[in-house]
Amino acid sequence: MTKSYSIAVIPGDGTGPEVVAEGVKVLKTAADTFGFKLNFTNYPLGGDHYLKTGEILSDKTIADLKKADAIFLGAIGNPKVKPGILEKGILLKLRFDLDQYINLRPVKLYEGVETPLKDKGPDEIDFVVVRENSEGLYTGAGGCLKKGTPDEVAVQESINTRKGVERCIRYAFEYCRKRNKGKKLTLCGKTNVLTHAFDLWERAFYAVAEEYPDIKTDYAHVDATCMWMVKNPEWFDVIVTDNMFGDIITDLGAMIQGGMGIAAGGNINPEGVSMFEPIGGSAPKYTGMQVINPLAAISATQLLLETLGEADAAARVEASVKKVLKDDIKDVSAGRMGFTTSGVGDLVAGYVKNGIPEVGA
Ligand code: IPM
Ligand code: MN
């Protein structure tokens, strides 16, 4: 019987809908080519929906999303809405409510893409960040006192539970084993200052490591991680870290892999519903101009297909993205691709459909 999956699509704000359209185009082509079925349902969440209806994200929508096999998200963030409302009310709420406790962010430089790092190329820049996605500084724990007065106090606490930390670390070890590349997992923390939080992380890390004798372990403080990501990115295979550090180092990662135009990520609940997104924002100034690069969104569909278990389709999408980057588009940045947004989507879809003989994909 033909396999069939339901995909919830949240195009979102700004250029989100434009890049999502290309991701959906590629997903449809992959489904037709590899013989499975995808049923798409659109959810009009985001700034415009909020301004029109006053609704950010209803319980009913969350319940519906929980029934999907995967979620494909464009971008959330609208200049007409105060910063934080949509990000917290939609993106972070979904990550939390769906318990997507892993944020998986590959940092991979493809051939034909320029990196700002001198003398580094695709051989040196190829690692994956496993960011804890459900705890840390992101839970909203804390509060304020005497707000707006000279005596005001603000406390924002980092929550680290043994269970939450351990499941993330275990995922990272498993991922590192499956990836089968450098077989090295680096814990990125700040054990010299955050002596409560990262003491727990460190003990959990080395305890879980005993179950993975085939994986080398390493540790780097977050500041040093930033330094090595620039100086010696080839040292990294898989990095595991907390929510806040993961947020920061993956923006750095996105830049060394060529920018937000190609960086993709997955918010993963290994036991539930996962959500895939380009990691760049909604780029409001480019909205509707067909200049934004859809390859990040398309790479997010590759992660989505991998998670569904459609490995061949996922590999073809990646090979197609690589081909487009190497031979077709001039530059990955918005407006400099030499093609429109949908033109780039057409190129990828064409390779997905027809294959890429020279790489045997
Ligand atoms: C990301 C984003 C979000 C985060 C924002 C938009 C809340 O920066 O996905 O990395 O901080 O996680
Ligand atoms: Mn971020």
Side-chain angles (χ1 to χ4, degrees):
M1 215 182 82
T2 312
K3 275 203 178 154
S4 164
Y5 308 95
S6 58
I7 310 296
V9 181
I10 307 174
D13 295 309
T15 51
E18 280 164 75
V19 296
V20 157
E22 302 317 309
V24 168
K25 184 188 283 175
V26 168
L27 281 172
K28 282 187 175 156
T29 311
D32 289 346
T33 311
F34 288 86
F36 55 92
K37 220 173 136 7
L38 297 174
N39 300 305
F40 296 95
T41 309
N42 256 52
Y43 292 85
L45 302 173
D48 290 336
H49 181 72
Y50 171 59
L51 292 170
K52 242 189 276 155
T53 65
E55 180 188 278
I56 300 184
L57 175 61
S58 69
D59 292 345
K60 161 88 173 69
T61 303
I62 294 187
D64 287 348
L65 291 171
K66 281 187 179 162
K67 288 187 218 132
D69 289 306
I71 303 168
F72 181 35
L73 171 89
I76 297 291
N78 186 311
K80 287 180 274 176
V81 182
K82 202 173 134 226
I85 294 184
L86 301 171
E87 292 86 339
K88 266 185 133 166
I90 301 176
L91 183 61
L92 297 183
K93 188 162 169 54
L94 285 175
R95 289 178 182 169
F96 280 85
D97 283 13
L98 275 60
D99 203 19
Q100 292 164 340
Y101 61 87
I102 298 297
N103 197 322
L104 190 70
R105 297 189 163 180
V107 178
K108 189 167 181 177
L109 178 70
Y110 290 122
E111 213 185 311
V113 180
E114 215 175 303
T115 174
L117 302 187
K118 188 167 155 270
D119 300 331
K120 302 291 177 191
D123 288 342
E124 286 81 26
I125 303 172
D126 182 5
F127 60 92
V128 177
V129 178
V130 175
R131 162 184 174 190
E132 203 291 322
N133 211 32
S134 65
E135 302 192 337
L137 281 165
Y138 276 69
T139 63
C144 47
L145 271 177
K146 300 184 184 174
K147 194 167 175 172
T149 75
D151 296 327
E152 75 179 323
V153 181
V155 178
Q156 193 97 40
E157 283 160 328
S158 175
I159 304 292
N160 300 265
T161 67
R162 177 72 191 213
K163 182 181 153 202
V165 168
E166 206 171 300
R167 68 183 179 174
C168 172
I169 288 173
R170 183 162 280 111
Y171 181 93
F173 273 106
E174 286 290 333
Y175 187 89
C176 190
R177 181 180 272 171
K178 252 200 266 130
R179 174 172 151 92
N180 198 18
K181 197 169 168 269
K183 290 235 176 170
K184 178 166 113 179
L185 180 63
T186 304
L187 171 64
C188 162
K190 190 73 186 171
T191 51
N192 53 349
V193 176
L194 305 180
T195 49
H196 308 307
F198 280 98
D199 173 55
L200 191 160
W201 273 84
E202 198 178 32
R203 282 183 290 108
F205 182 69
Y206 289 108
V208 176
E210 297 201 356
E211 297 166 35
Y212 297 89
D214 52 321
I215 308 292
K216 291 184 279 295
T217 54
D218 194 12
Y219 172 82
H221 293 319
V222 63
D223 44 354
T225 303
C226 291
M227 191 171 78
W228 299 129
M229 276 172 69
V230 171
K231 177 109 190 348
N232 296 102
E234 65 279 8
W235 286 359
F236 296 115
D237 176 23
V238 179
I239 299 177
V240 64
T241 190
D242 83 346
N243 210 339
M244 187 80 257
F245 292 166
D247 178 46
I248 297 166
I249 67 169
T250 54
D251 264 23
L252 177 55
M255 283 303 126
I256 68 173
Q257 75 179 115
M260 289 301 182
I262 45 173
N267 301 278
I268 296 180
N269 175 343
E271 297 89 35
V273 185
S274 301
M275 175 167 76
F276 302 86
E277 51 173 340
I279 81 171
S282 55
K285 67 175 178 189
Y286 296 127
T287 305
M289 292 168 66
Q290 280 286 311
V291 294
I292 200 88
N293 188 343
L295 290 176
I298 292 171
S299 293
T301 71
Q302 175 206 328
L303 298 173
L304 185 153
L305 290 167
E306 271 164 22
T307 309
L308 290 180
E310 295 295 339
D312 292 343
R316 177 74 66 82
V317 171
E318 183 178 23
S320 304
V321 167
K322 277 170 121 168
K323 171 83 178 150
V324 167
L325 286 166
K326 183 164 137 314
D327 293 332
D328 298 320
I329 70 173
K330 291 204 282 263
D331 191 304
V332 292
S333 7
R336 300 215 213 118
M337 300 182 294
F339 293 86
T340 61
T341 304
S342 93
V344 175
D346 289 342
L347 287 169
V348 178
Y351 293 125
V352 169
K353 181 161 189 271
N354 301 315
I356 308 133
E358 72 259 35
V359 294

